[in-house]
Amino acid sequence: MIDLLHINHVRGLEETSLSLGPSLNLWVGDNGAGKTSVLEAVSILSSGRSFVTSRSKAVITFDKPGLTVFGCVRGESRSHRLAIHVGREDERKLRLDGLTARGQAALSRVLPVLYITPHTTDLISGSPSIRRRFLDWGAFHWSGGSSSYFTSLKRAILQRNAVLRDGILDLSVLEPWDAQIASYGEVIDDWRKTFLDCVRPLFESLCYRLELGFPLSLFYKNGWGPGPLHEALKKNRPREAKAKSTLVGPQRADFEVLRDGERASDVLSRGQLKVANLALTLSQLHAASHLGISPVLCFDDVGAELDDAFIPRVWQAVFETNSQVLATGIDVGRMGLSSKWLRDAEVFHVKHGVIEPK
């Protein structure tokens, strides 16, 4: 939970310090006022990048050398002070509790964040890499924020691919990298499966509660098929030597959302996909809560593409997790919030990049 957020040189926002409430925090104002920029600042502090764009330079105020975001975060057992500075050449300085942080994972570990945005539909119909991020968010936090397995796996795959590109004749030279990939990859695979197993019944329940009208199921694919990963890597060496790339492994993991055995992205309407994607994101939030993780939820542009009758069902599912919520919208009255949910809310008005309590 974020108690204090300080933002400097993020898009068109003026430098500001915000004291946030433990439950619901709202930023309201016209389109283009700078509301989403607040959520982008939180995203940068947690993950090192904006959820809107991967180009850090695009988020920095146009005439400034870099952006800075600082936050006081309260955890289960203690509080932390987080800070990130990002320059125009993507140079970075990370601080955690007054000391230089070794990597972004140190900040992500103490500030887990999830998002509901107008682009959430990409989760089901988008590329496998989007769904891997979904899995790896859960795997990372379920493991207690152990990033070393992910970085070691990525390094081993990059090194193996470099060897394959050299056009080797003796495929046995791949053995050391195969052993490393199998060692790290099968641990990550277990974490991913554990998290998705927790998500699965929650997703099925939320599809029903959001009145989708029919059941959906989740089918996990580990990226190499049945059997041990090491055997799959060894078996595919000749094919990968021709392709000059590693074709099987956890870097190919994915999961499918199915309706009666058919891919949901092929048979659901746009409106049904919207509901299914919301159910999937909300099940991720609920699963995190069940696993003892307390993420901050960033809910951008509430009501932009959701029916007035539908939004309260989404809010009900959100507040059941007792998560801190940071939400943006045009007007409080158009966000589908009842008076009981607004009772303890912190509300801010945003106009031309200036944020003021309302």
Side-chain angles (χ1 to χ4, degrees):
M1 181 176 68
I2 305 171
D3 288 327
L4 175 69
L5 183 66
H6 184 88
I7 305 169
N8 193 21
H9 300 157
V10 173
R11 294 202 187 266
L13 289 179
E14 290 196 1
E15 183 174 2
T16 185
S17 289
L18 304 169
S19 295
L20 305 184
S23 180
L24 179 61
N25 299 269
L26 305 174
W27 286 265
V28 296
D30 295 336
N31 288 329
K35 306 182 299 295
T36 298
S37 300
V38 177
L39 306 189
E40 285 188 277
V42 173
S43 175
I44 292 166
L45 185 61
S46 171
S47 68
R49 63 189 295 272
S50 163
F51 66 91
V52 176
T53 176
S54 60
R55 295 175 55 247
S56 300
K57 188 183 295 186
V59 189
I60 300 170
T61 304
F62 76 96
D63 60 345
K64 302 300 180 183
L67 64 82
T68 302
V69 185
F70 170 84
C72 291
V73 177
R74 195 188 330 163
E76 290 291 327
S77 57
R78 59 168 295 186
S79 295
H80 297 277
R81 292 171 290 120
L82 288 66
I84 182 171
H85 175 83
V86 182
R88 286 201 167 272
E89 301 304 318
D90 206 36
E91 65 275 21
R92 292 163 183 263
K93 296 179 181 178
L94 308 174
R95 305 281 288 179
L96 177 61
D97 296 329
L99 302 174
T100 299
R102 296 181 62 181
Q104 189 65 49
L107 276 62
S108 300
R109 189 178 299 117
V110 298
L111 181 57
V113 180
L114 290 174
Y115 309 91
I116 297 176
T117 79
H119 307 291
T120 300
T121 51
D122 291 344
L123 189 53
I124 291 178
S125 58
S127 70
S129 63
I130 297 174
R131 290 181 292 280
R132 273 195 297 277
R133 285 199 293 271
F134 177 99
L135 292 169
D136 287 343
W137 186 94
F140 172 76
H141 290 291
W142 164 244
S143 69
S146 178
S147 63
S148 61
Y149 281 83
F150 293 94
T151 54
S152 296
L153 174 66
K154 183 178 180 180
R155 182 170 57 248
I157 292 172
L158 288 172
Q159 292 172 347
R160 189 178 191 269
N161 286 342
V163 174
L164 287 168
R165 285 194 298 271
D166 285 342
I168 56 172
L169 297 177
D170 181 5
L171 297 181
S172 66
V173 301
L174 295 172
E175 179 59 31
W177 290 281
D178 289 1
Q180 290 182 48
I181 292 170
S183 175
Y184 300 125
E186 290 188 343
V187 172
I188 291 172
D189 180 61
D190 284 340
W191 291 341
R192 287 169 171 171
K193 286 189 292 189
T194 298
F195 184 67
L196 198 65
D197 284 345
C198 186
V199 165
R200 188 174 285 109
L202 297 167
F203 174 63
E204 293 170 358
S205 172
L206 282 160
C207 284
Y208 173 79
R209 291 176 54 190
L210 295 179
E211 300 182 8
L212 180 60
F214 46 81
L216 295 175
S217 59
L218 302 178
F219 178 71
Y220 177 69
K221 300 190 292 185
N222 61 16
W224 67 87
L229 174 54
H230 192 276
E231 289 184 8
L233 288 165
K234 187 174 182 179
K235 178 181 178 181
N236 281 275
R237 285 175 187 173
R239 188 165 66 99
E240 292 174 333
K242 292 181 180 179
K244 299 185 183 299
S245 180
T246 302
L247 302 178
V248 298
Q251 78 282 5
R252 301 276 179 166
D254 195 2
F255 67 90
E256 292 182 334
V257 182
L258 304 175
R259 179 185 181 185
D260 297 328
E262 299 289 330
R263 291 170 56 185
S265 57
D266 294 335
V267 297
L268 267 60
S269 69
R270 184 174 180 274
Q272 291 168 337
L273 276 172
K274 190 187 306 179
V275 176
N277 271 286
L278 275 169
L280 193 53
T281 301
L282 290 169
S283 65
Q284 186 181 21
L285 182 67
H286 278 246
S289 179
H290 285 204
L291 295 171
I293 306 163
S294 301
V296 173
L297 177 67
C298 290
F299 197 164
D300 189 34
D301 208 2
V302 177
E305 296 190 27
L306 302 178
D307 297 334
D308 291 344
F310 182 73
I311 299 176
R313 295 199 291 271
V314 175
W315 280 123
Q316 180 63 46
V318 167
F319 289 125
E320 286 172 357
T321 65
N322 295 317
S323 297
Q324 184 184 42
V325 180
L326 315 181
T328 70
I330 299 294
D331 183 78
V332 173
R334 297 165 62 180
M335 298 175 77
L337 289 157
S338 68
S339 57
K340 69 174 182 178
W341 292 331
L342 286 169
R343 191 175 301 126
D344 298 318
E346 298 288 341
V347 183
F348 304 89
H349 184 261
V350 187
K351 185 175 182 179
H352 303 313
V354 178
I355 303 174
E356 295 179 344
K358 189 171 181 179

